[in-house]
Amino acid sequence: MSEATPVEGPKPPRVIWTKPAEEKLRQQMAGHARDMCKEFIDAFGHCAKRNHIMYVFNCRGESREMNSCLDQYVTEDKIQKRKQQLAKALAPNAG
């Protein structure tokens, strides 16, 4: 990501993330989560189509399963860990 640049100092190199770079990372992680949770997303979608406006009440189980799956891949903690991984990769002395 060219928007993120390493900053050297007494601590290990850190990366300053621009808003667009961080948003791009979040979008990539969300896309990966959607790919990994496709069956749960589809199940919720089918339930919602069958139940129309009552999907809010009738599809709670599918909604919980879908959100639980998505939460495995996209949380603030996971985003921060991914940023750290990318920072190490961008560090000048990274092999």
Side-chain angles (χ1 to χ4, degrees), residues 1-6 15-18 20-22 24 28 86 90:
M1 298 188 144
S2 62
E3 297 91 357
T5 56
V15 173
I16 298 173
W17 289 83
T18 62
E22 187 170 339
K24 184 176 180 180
Q28 288 173 345
L86 291 171
L90 286 172

Side-chain angles (χ1 to χ4, degrees), residues 6 8 12-13 87-95:
E8 294 190 43
K88 286 180 185 177
L90 286 172
N93 58 358

Side-chain angles (χ1 to χ4, degrees), residues 28-85:
Q28 288 173 345
M29 291 181 73
H32 175 70
R34 284 190 299 273
D35 292 343
M36 300 303 292
C37 300
K38 184 165 177 36
E39 71 178 82
F40 296 107
I41 294 169
D42 290 345
F44 176 73
H46 292 303
C47 182
K49 281 183 182 179
R50 283 192 315 269
N51 288 280
H52 302 285
I53 197 164
M54 295 301 292
Y55 82 93
V56 174
F57 304 105
N58 295 337
C59 300
R60 286 183 180 163
E62 289 85 348
S63 177
R64 276 191 212 104
E65 289 175 345
M66 177 184 69
N67 287 327
S68 176
C69 182
L70 292 170
D71 285 345
Q72 293 177 42
Y73 300 99
V74 183
T75 62
E76 196 59 38
D77 186 46
K78 291 192 185 291
I79 291 169
Q80 294 305 319
K81 285 180 183 177
R82 183 66 180 138
K83 283 181 177 182
Q84 290 173 357
Q85 291 171 344

